[in-house]
Amino acid sequence: MIIDGKKIAHELRQAIANQVALLEQKPGLAVILVGDDPASAVYVRNKDNACKEVGFYSEKINKPANITQTELLAEIERLNNDDSIDGILVQLPLPNHLDANQVIETINPEKDVDGFHSENIGKLMQNKPFLRPCTPKGVMILLKITGVDLVGKNCVVVGASNIVGRPMACELLNARATVTICNSKTQDLSSKLKQADIVVVAVGIPKMIQANWIKSGAIVIDVGINRLDNGRLVGDVDFDTAKEVASWITPVPGGVGPMTIATLLENTLTAHKARKQK
Ligand code: NDP
């Protein structure tokens, strides 16, 4: 069965819009784009449009590529102190002269809707989550849709980045699954995958995971987004062959990707409600 992330994300966005319509004050999201990387500009535009669609207040802030660290931190402080803003997102990657880690740590954790601040990652690690990283959170929603109970399942996460692989492993652990995290140094990856009831791949190598590495009936979630020379988008899993082996599988595009924006909106709504309750 193919997991239709586009449809599930649309339903989630609709549910958020319904909640926003009942609020006195609209949740506000500020997205900062540094430089003019075309791919980042598309992501920022999509986020801005998604905000408007659900009725959020949205601020799209473009800064030149040569902005200094001090200037960027000052902009974040301004947004930290702006009451109309519930969520602050800095589009990554940043130009090399900027310290992304310091930028993330400067965002007020209560407005950290990407869920990357060490305070929010720490809460996830302790299984007391508040604002959860968007992509892994979206994957958990997709897994729920399958109706499969994660408790005690063997899960293999391929990729261990701070934004996807690590928090993904944490989410699965919090769901009481047994989790193996693999990276580029993992030995005999295929035999690890063969044991997995659930495979989540976030590596960034087109069609790296072959069907014959996957256990029959496994759930396969493909986070990878890779553009081939011919312009086509493909995932990290060889979808055409893997779909014959998997019980459930996400396509690329139309799988995890749309969920990331929907969960960003959900995080902004969560941040808004939490601030209003204070
Ligand atoms: P990173 O490059 O930050 O991390 C890649 C991870 O994959 C690293 O942990 C790396 O290991 C590991 N890796 C690399 N090669 C191998 C290998 N041969 N075997 C096993 N592990 C390997 O990437 P991201 O996590 O940022 O993104 C991964 C993919 O997900 C990309 O295609 C990206 O475009 C996509 N993505 C999609 C999103 C969505 O919304 N759908 C959101 C974010 C990302 P090591 O730690 O040893 O270097």
Side-chain angles (χ1 to χ4, degrees), residues 19 38 57 172 176 219:
Q19 287 191 57
Y57 167 69
L172 292 164
R176 310 200 71 210
I219 301 176

Side-chain angles (χ1 to χ4, degrees), residues 253-265:
V256 176
M259 294 304 294
T260 299
I261 290 191
T263 48
L264 170 69
L265 298 173

Side-chain angles (χ1 to χ4, degrees), residues 33 36-37 39 47-48 56 64 67-68 107-108 166 200 266:
L33 173 64
D36 49 13
D37 173 60
K47 286 168 187 172
D48 188 49
F56 285 2
I67 189 174
T68 65
I107 297 172
N108 177 349
R166 282 165 199 259
V200 182
E266 193 176 48

Side-chain angles (χ1 to χ4, degrees), residues 43 135 158-166 182-186 189 201-205 208 222-226 234 236 255-261:
Y43 286 131
T135 302
V158 190
S161 70
N162 284 341
I163 64 169
V164 189
R166 282 165 199 259
C182 303
N183 59 32
S184 63
K185 305 294 180 206
T186 297
L189 179 64
V201 191
V203 172
I205 300 177
M208 176 191 151
D222 190 354
V223 180
I225 303 176
N226 310 289
V234 297
D236 292 346
V256 176
M259 294 304 294
T260 299
I261 290 191

Side-chain angles (χ1 to χ4, degrees), residues 80-270:
N80 280 342
N81 294 315
D82 182 340
D83 198 44
S84 65
I85 296 298
D86 299 291
I88 304 168
L89 183 154
V90 180
Q91 186 65 42
L92 301 177
L94 288 171
N96 284 338
H97 69 282
L98 297 170
D99 177 351
N101 194 47
Q102 193 188 20
V103 168
I104 291 166
E105 293 299 310
T106 302
I107 297 172
N108 177 349
E110 293 174 4
K111 297 190 177 190
D112 166 44
V113 284
D114 250 342
F116 295 161
H117 191 287
S118 55
E119 189 174 311
N120 283 314
I121 290 292
K123 285 181 176 169
L124 179 71
M125 195 77 199
Q126 291 177 332
N127 199 9
K128 293 174 189 150
F130 173 44
L131 297 171
R132 298 151 61 192
C134 300
T135 302
K137 185 181 179 187
V139 170
M140 293 309 283
I141 296 171
L142 297 181
L143 287 173
K144 200 168 178 193
I145 296 292
T146 68
V148 172
D149 185 5
L150 299 181
V151 176
K153 291 288 186 304
N154 283 331
C155 299
V156 172
V157 178
V158 190
S161 70
N162 284 341
I163 64 169
V164 189
R166 282 165 199 259
M168 185 70 249
C170 226
E171 289 277 4
L172 292 164
L173 186 62
N174 290 348
R176 310 200 71 210
T178 302
V179 187
T180 304
I181 317 172
C182 303
N183 59 32
S184 63
K185 305 294 180 206
T186 297
Q187 290 174 27
D188 202 3
L189 179 64
S190 60
S191 72
K192 294 190 167 49
L193 285 171
K194 265 284 177 209
Q195 309 290 317
D197 304 305
I198 293 153
V199 177
V200 182
V201 191
V203 172
I205 300 177
K207 300 188 186 186
M208 176 191 151
I209 306 295
Q210 304 294 311
N212 61 359
W213 297 3
I214 294 165
K215 184 165 106 174
S216 176
I219 301 176
V220 178
I221 305 286
D222 190 354
V223 180
I225 303 176
N226 310 289
R227 193 170 288 281
L228 301 181
D229 290 342
N230 63 12
R232 234 185 100 209
L233 282 184
V234 297
D236 292 346
V237 176
D238 186 12
F239 179 81
D240 290 333
T241 55
K243 76 176 191 313
E244 305 299 332
V245 185
S247 59
W248 293 86
I249 187 166
T250 57
V252 177
V256 176
M259 294 304 294
T260 299
I261 290 191
T263 48
L264 170 69
L265 298 173
E266 193 176 48
N267 276 354
T268 307
L269 183 59
T270 300

